[in-house]
Structures are given as structure tokens and as C-alpha cells.
Amino acid sequence: MKKLLSRSFIFIFIILLTFLLLFLFTTVGLGAQFQESYNYVINNKYNYLITEKEPKIIIISGSSGAFGINAKQIEDGVGYKCANISLHADFGMKFQTEISKGNISKDDIVVISYEIVHWNNSHYSAELIMTAIDNNIQLYKYVPTEEYVDIIRYFPTYLFKKLDLAMKPKSKEQNGVYRSSAFDENGNMIMERLECKLNEVVDKEIYGEIVMNDQVVSEEMINYVNEFNDYVNSKGATLLISFPPMLDEAVTSSKDDIAKFQAYLEENIDAPIISNPNDYILEREYFYDTIYHLNSKGEKLRSDILIRDINNYLNQHIN
Amino acid sequence: MNFNSIHYLIFFPAVVLGYFIIPSKLKNIFLLISSYYFYMCWMPQYALLIFFSTVCTYFAGYLIEKESKVISKKIFLGINIVINIGILFIFKYFNFFTSSLQSIFNILNIHIYLSDLHTTFLLPAGISFYTFQALGYSIDVYRKDIKHEKNFINYALFVSFFPQLVAGPIERSKNLLPQFSTDHKFSYDNAVIGLRRILFGMFKKVAIADTIAIYVNCVFNNITNFTGLTLLIAIFLFAVQIYCDFSGYSDIAIGSAKVLGFNLMDNFKTPYFAVSISEFWSRWHISLSTWFKDYVYIPLGGNKKGFKRKLINLFIVFLISGLWHGASWTFVIWGALHGIYRIAEELYRHSVKPLDFRYSLFNRLKYVFKVISTFAMVCFGWIFFRANTINDAFYIVKNCFQNINLLQGVYDAYDIISSSVMKSYSFVLLYIISVIFFVLTLFIIELRQNRKIQNPNQDTIYDKLKVSTRWFIYWGLSIIIIFCFIIQNGIFGQTGQFIYFRF
């Protein structure tokens, strides 16, 4: 039996090693193949985060942060450097949040402003995560363990996608905001979004709706954020909770329910809630193409509101 | 629980470890609990059916042996058969029976409606297999081929032994039951032989059958979109798929049992190298073919009651065999077709003297011709076996030689694979290369095995290989299996179900 077991272990080790090599070949060996995509911007954001030495504000959310934060404005308004690592809700909020662990240092301020729906689900897309990470293999350490199975399942598709891209001549870059060149080298959006592209009627079948009450927050996310708060505090930094910009026409909750939502978070989250959701419910003139994506005008307004909230907190608690 | 699942990958080593660690007295109880757990992972309530069948056949065996009068023995055996076949009928054939009857009523303009009688039961996995195995036992006791097994645990294990529970081989009591009375010690050699067989079984199932299934399922499920070469390729590939699917399952079953120290009967012996339909059936699903021979064909009179009766008996056996495979007219036609093949073969043998050439080259060519023509006839039968409806089957028969165009075949293949799996040039290319490679590899392995069958003294493939080469083969097969497994799980959310689980 011992002979069989020892040989089996050796065999399993060789098999695992083979797959590790195949994985390395796919991610690193085939090079960056998705670098022109919107998702790839996460690498710029991450690189900026890990190289920034000064105390900084790290902003975590989905794409509402990519479209709704002006980093320069935040830096000027608060006096901290700003690493806005928000990019895509389909990465899953856990992955988006875990990336921040790349460089949370003493006196940093970490602001979570998840899109409301992500307080209640742990949705993620292995495809988006893998194509975003591309050849930057070190980002895999931030993928939550419960997502490993899906990462493995998606691996063959990822391999063939990369092979296809590696073999065919690169096509010309697409126009529009959903591409890496719409962002600067630090991962901040630089493309002007002047107009509102929303349909005249905001159909919830197309755009979805925003519901806030004391039922929309899951225990899983509460626990996760509280654990993250402990981690942030252990690094000598501060975690703050804020809210994303929300299109008023898409918010279907009453004032009472919104108050209940905020009260529920305040009661259950260990980190301070620095904002009022009502302040972030804005008119359509500030929005670009979805109920969470701001245009340039909206980005400026939202950044101002966030600066005000952060400064209020800092004035009361730190300065 | 499926053999091709992560669940089994954990379950099986745990059972092996447990089996060889615990005291001898508890081993069979442990195996019995493991076997029921194995079955209950799918649908727990259906374990009651196995238990009921086990209790019925156990007591039938006891009463048949105890009773001295032949008529009483016959009555007990008859009741036992009626109960077991009755359960099988209710769960597997009732809806088929009522809908067929309804069609007849409709044709005859009789206003009786049977649709309300339709049951919504799911077909219990492996019901045809364990029912036949348990019935075989009581018939063996009746014939005094074996003694009634007094130990109920051993008998329950005989009916539910997990490696062969859901898709055979349908074991004979004479072979398997005595093995439960022996104390099995761990044997390194058994473990190696067993694991090797499991590995090849997995390769056949996960790598070959399930890979090919992507193409085959797409064609057979959208049959009217295709003609010519695409249909011919699909028929050929289905022949490969069903062989790899079922023989792969048998290999995993036999290999799993071997690791535990049990010897199960072989179920396949390179059937596509058969030179006649009768030889095909002595090489394909051997445990079922011999079951029908022993428990249906011979009791019907076999070949002892004249030539005409022999032909009738053959046809009846194949008709039942078709129905055994599934409650559908396509299976009945498939069975009848093989019955007709066998009758034609018997008539040919009866009336024509076999050709024997002086030169061995001609004899070899004759052999090749016979193998190819038998394979072609079997493939023709597979059309009815696989087609979703009788109309589909006739569509294939009508259109498979129409518009044969190589370019169209290649275009269809690209379209099928990219729409069924992923739009990727590299994947489609790898898929086509893999299928060709797998089919050729299988052909070479089968050819060698066929030679070994003809010349049993010949070494097996492994005997001549260096240790490093053997390990390289194991490594390569494992990588292919795991990769295919991940692709199937990633794209379809699950690995392919074994075709014979439905029977």
C-alpha cells in the first residue's frame, strides 16, 4: 500500500506541475493579448497603487468608480494621493477589494463605495478576471479562493482565446470609452464624456433598477467588509464607507427604505459610513450611458461630494 | 455518482483505503454502505427499489431452494420474475406502453384516453442492469447452478456492488457471489492493473466519447440541417462514441473492482473487428448477450427445436434486447434489425458453403471485407439507436449519401464545433486534430488487442514497454483526460453522462 501511495503522490505531483507549466505558458508565455481592452486597465491601476509611497486614498467600487472619480480633483481636495482601483463590477467586489491589499499602508484611507446591488451578491466573472489579469500573474493572488474553481473551468477557453489573439494580426483599436487608451497610465479615465447617452425612458429591463432597504445587504458581504476593515486597521489605515452615484430615475426605493438601508449598514458594518445615499442620487444630466456611469460633469460633481464627505470625516476624527 | 466526476475521485480512494484498513468481518458491510451511498448520491429514494429487488430475489432464492416440489419452485420463480419485471415495466416501459396503445386506439378510432395514466417517474439509474443481475441469481438457484446465498449482506452486495451497479457488467452469481466470501488483501499488482484499466476507461469516456459527442449530438439533434458527408461522419463517430462510452464505463468498473481485489467479467472484446453479426454480439456487451442467451434464448428452445424455431428464437431475443435498451420504437427497430441480420446470416450459412482461398492474401482480404461489412451493418443499426425519432432515422438513411461534398463537410464541422463549444480557430483546429488522433490511437490499441484475442500467448502492450515509457503514457493520458474534463465542465457545466445510464 505504501508503494502505491508514494507512487501516486509522485504522479499527482507531476500532473500538477504540468498544469502549472501550462498555466504559466498561457499567462506569461503568450504575453499580454488583451492590453487594448477596458478590463486590462486594472493592471495600470494596480501598478500605480503598489508604487505610491505617500499616504493615499484608495477608492474601491465597480465601474461607477471608473466613470465617477476624478483622482486629481480628490488629490487637490483632500490632500492625499488617490489610487482609484475601481473598474468593473463583474470582477466581483471581493476581487476589486482584495487588490487594494497590494499596498495599504499607515495613514492610508480606503473608501468602499460598492454599487448597491453588490452589497447583496458575490457575483463575478472568471472570464473578465482572467482576461483583465492577462499576463500580470501576480494579480492572481487577489482572486478569492472560492473563485478558483471557476477560474480553472474557464482556463481552456482563456487559453484558446489567447492562442487565437497571439496567432492573428492585431486589429486596430476600437473607438469609445471601453478601451484601455481611454485611461491614463495610472488607470484614471481621461476621455471626455460630454453628453448623456441614456435612452429617454430608463427601462429597468435594459438598465436595471436601484433598490435600497434593510434587506439588500447580505450577511456574507457584511462579514467580508468587517474582516477587511480589521485588515485595513491592522495596517494603520482607515476604512470608510460611501456610496456610488445613482441615477434618480432608476432608484425605486422610498426615502424611508433608503434610511433603513443606511441604518442597517451603520448598525452592522464596523467601519464608519461617511456619506448619505441621498446625496449621491443625481439627475440624468450627470450620467453617461448607465445608471451608475457618470459623464465628465457628473464625475466632477460626485468627486466634490466625496471630497466633502471625506474631509468631514477627517476633520472630525483625525485632524 | 458518476465515475467521471470529482466526487468519484474522492469516493473511490476513500473506499479502497477504508476497505483494506478495516477488519475482515466488517469489509462487506463497509462495501455495502459505500455502494448504497454511491447510488444514493444520484436519487436517494430509488435506493429503496434496489433494496426491494434485493429482498425479493433473496427470499425467492431461499424459497426456491427450500421447496422440494418443482411446481412450487416454478411458482416462486414466476412470482419473483413478475415482481421484478413489473417494477422495471412501471418505471421504464409504462409510458411507452400507454402511448403506443393510445396510438393504436387512435388509429382504430376507439375513444379511450390513456394520457392521464402517464407517470412522471424519473428512470432509476441502472434499473435494467441490477434487475437482470438479481433475476439471473434466482434463475441460477432454480436451475441448481448455485446454492442460495445465506448471508444477506453478501447477497445485497452482489446486487448493489458499486463498480457495476448502474451500467454493468451484468455479473453472474457463480462468478461474483463467491468472491464476497473471500477475504481480499491489498495487492500492489491488482492495484496497478486496476488503476491502469480505470485510466484507459477514463480516456475512452472523457477524452474520446465526450469529445466526439459534441459533434455527434449537434448533428443528431439538428438532423435536417445536414446531409451527405456530415451525416456519414456523425454515424461513424457515433459508433466510436458509443463504444468508448460504454466500454470506457466497463473498464472503469472492472478496474475499480480489481483494485479492491474483485474480478468482474469482460464486457467487450474489440467488437468492431468482428467478422459477422453473431461474432459482434459475442464481443459487444458480452454480459448482456450471454444473459439473453442463458436466460431467454436457451429457455425458448435455443437451436434444439429445429432451424425455423432457432431463427424465431433469435429474432425474439434481439427484439427484447432492443426493448431492454430503451422504451422507444427506435430501439425496437434497432433490435429487430439485428435480429434480421442474424437470421440472414444463419440462412446464408445454412445455404452457402464458406469460401476458402488457397492464398493467404485472399483470405486476409476476405477477412478485411468481412470486418468492414460487419462494421457497416452495425453502423447502419446505430442510426436507429441514436436517432431521436424514427423520422430522423429515416431522414438519415435517405440523405446520408446525398450531396457528398468534402468542402461542405469541413464547413459543417467548423460550424458545429465553433457554435457548440467556442468560436476559436485554435480550438476547432485542436478539436479536429484530437478527434483524428484519438480515433487512430483507439484503432491501433484495438488492433493490438484483437491480435491478442486471436493469439492469447502474445504479450500485452505494456509488457514490452520500459517503465519510463509506461509512465509517459500514463502522464499523457492523464493530462488529456483532465484537460477534456475541464473543457467539458467549463463549457457545458458538467461532464458527459454515460449513455448506458439510461438503460
Side-chain angles (χ1 to χ4, degrees), chain B residues 180-294:
Chain B
F180 293 120
S181 308
T182 329
D183 184 18
H184 297 273
K185 300 273 182 235
F186 177 77
S187 149
Y188 179 77
D189 290 340
N190 276 349
V192 170
I193 294 168
L195 289 174
R196 190 188 286 160
R197 191 124 190 205
I198 291 172
L199 186 68
F200 270 91
M202 287 286 187
F203 177 70
K204 280 184 188 170
K205 167 63 185 163
V206 180
I208 306 181
D210 289 348
T211 304
I212 285 173
I214 295 168
Y215 181 92
V216 171
N217 289 344
C218 185
V219 174
F220 275 91
N221 294 337
N222 305 282
I223 204 76
T224 49
N225 294 347
F226 305 103
T227 55
L229 196 60
T230 305
L231 292 179
L232 288 175
I233 293 172
I235 297 163
F236 169 75
L237 287 182
F238 179 68
V240 179
Q241 183 203 342
I242 192 165
Y243 172 63
C244 288
D245 192 286
F246 194 20
S247 73
Y249 180 93
S250 295
D251 284 338
I252 301 167
I254 293 166
S256 300
K258 189 75 183 173
V259 175
L260 291 164
F262 294 87
N263 292 311
L264 299 183
M265 69 189 292
D266 267 331
N267 221 8
F268 292 89
K269 284 184 180 167
T270 62
Y272 290 147
F273 284 97
V275 293
S276 64
I277 292 295
S278 61
E279 195 184 308
F280 173 79
W281 281 105
S282 66
R283 289 161 166 242
W284 178 276
H285 201 176
I286 299 165
S287 64
L288 181 73
S289 310
T290 50
W291 197 97
F292 275 120
K293 185 181 146 204
D294 293 345

Side-chain angles (χ1 to χ4, degrees), chain B residues 10-298:
Chain B
I10 298 163
F11 169 83
F12 182 62
V15 170
V16 173
L17 274 176
Y19 183 72
F20 289 114
I21 285 170
I22 59 170
S24 302
K25 277 184 182 175
L26 300 174
K27 279 185 173 177
N28 285 355
I29 295 175
F30 174 74
L31 266 191
L32 184 64
I33 294 168
S34 305
S35 296
Y36 269 80
Y37 171 77
F38 175 88
Y39 192 80
M40 288 165 78
C41 283
W42 172 68
M43 223 179 199
Q45 60 270 39
Y46 280 173
L48 283 173
L49 282 179
I50 302 183
F51 185 72
F52 181 71
S53 184
T54 305
V55 171
C56 272
T57 45
Y58 177 80
F59 281 104
Y62 168 75
L63 294 169
I64 289 166
E65 190 175 73
K66 196 183 151 204
E67 206 51 58
S68 52
K69 288 179 190 164
V70 177
I71 186 74
S72 308
K73 283 176 190 277
K74 276 188 178 170
I75 289 169
F76 288 132
L77 179 66
I79 292 170
N80 182 43
I81 291 173
V82 167
I83 290 173
N84 279 282
I85 297 292
I87 295 170
L88 188 62
F89 176 81
I90 290 167
F91 281 89
K92 189 168 175 177
Y93 299 105
F94 187 74
N95 287 347
F96 171 64
F97 175 76
T98 50
S99 54
S100 301
L101 207 60
Q102 183 69 63
S103 304
I104 295 168
F105 288 160
N106 292 346
I107 291 166
L108 299 176
N109 216 8
I110 299 171
H111 300 288
I112 298 173
Y113 299 101
L114 301 170
S115 53
D116 291 346
L117 296 174
H118 272 211
T119 60
T120 51
F121 302 128
L122 274 180
L123 179 66
I127 189 168
S128 310
F129 288 90
Y130 68 72
T131 303
F132 270 39
Q133 183 157 314
L135 279 179
Y137 161 81
S138 36
I139 298 170
D140 285 345
V141 173
Y142 171 79
R143 288 176 178 171
K144 295 183 181 167
D145 288 341
I146 55 154
K147 288 202 160 186
H148 165 62
E149 172 61 57
K150 293 193 172 55
N151 186 327
F152 181 74
I153 299 290
N154 286 7
Y155 179 70
L157 193 50
F158 164 72
V159 179
S160 63
F161 187 42
F162 75 85
Q164 42 89 245
L165 173 59
V166 281
I170 304 168
E171 269 299 337
R172 295 310 146 78
S173 48
K174 239 187 205 176
N175 176 40
L176 189 56
L177 254 178
Q179 294 187 53
F180 293 120
S181 308
T182 329
D183 184 18
H184 297 273
K185 300 273 182 235
F186 177 77
S187 149
Y188 179 77
D189 290 340
N190 276 349
V192 170
I193 294 168
L195 289 174
R196 190 188 286 160
R197 191 124 190 205
I198 291 172
L199 186 68
F200 270 91
M202 287 286 187
F203 177 70
K204 280 184 188 170
K205 167 63 185 163
V206 180
I208 306 181
D210 289 348
T211 304
I212 285 173
I214 295 168
Y215 181 92
V216 171
N217 289 344
C218 185
V219 174
F220 275 91
N221 294 337
N222 305 282
I223 204 76
T224 49
N225 294 347
F226 305 103
T227 55
L229 196 60
T230 305
L231 292 179
L232 288 175
I233 293 172
I235 297 163
F236 169 75
L237 287 182
F238 179 68
V240 179
Q241 183 203 342
I242 192 165
Y243 172 63
C244 288
D245 192 286
F246 194 20
S247 73
Y249 180 93
S250 295
D251 284 338
I252 301 167
I254 293 166
S256 300
K258 189 75 183 173
V259 175
L260 291 164
F262 294 87
N263 292 311
L264 299 183
M265 69 189 292
D266 267 331
N267 221 8
F268 292 89
K269 284 184 180 167
T270 62
Y272 290 147
F273 284 97
V275 293
S276 64
I277 292 295
S278 61
E279 195 184 308
F280 173 79
W281 281 105
S282 66
R283 289 161 166 242
W284 178 276
H285 201 176
I286 299 165
S287 64
L288 181 73
S289 310
T290 50
W291 197 97
F292 275 120
K293 185 181 146 204
D294 293 345
Y295 303 115
V296 181
Y297 178 70
I298 291 173

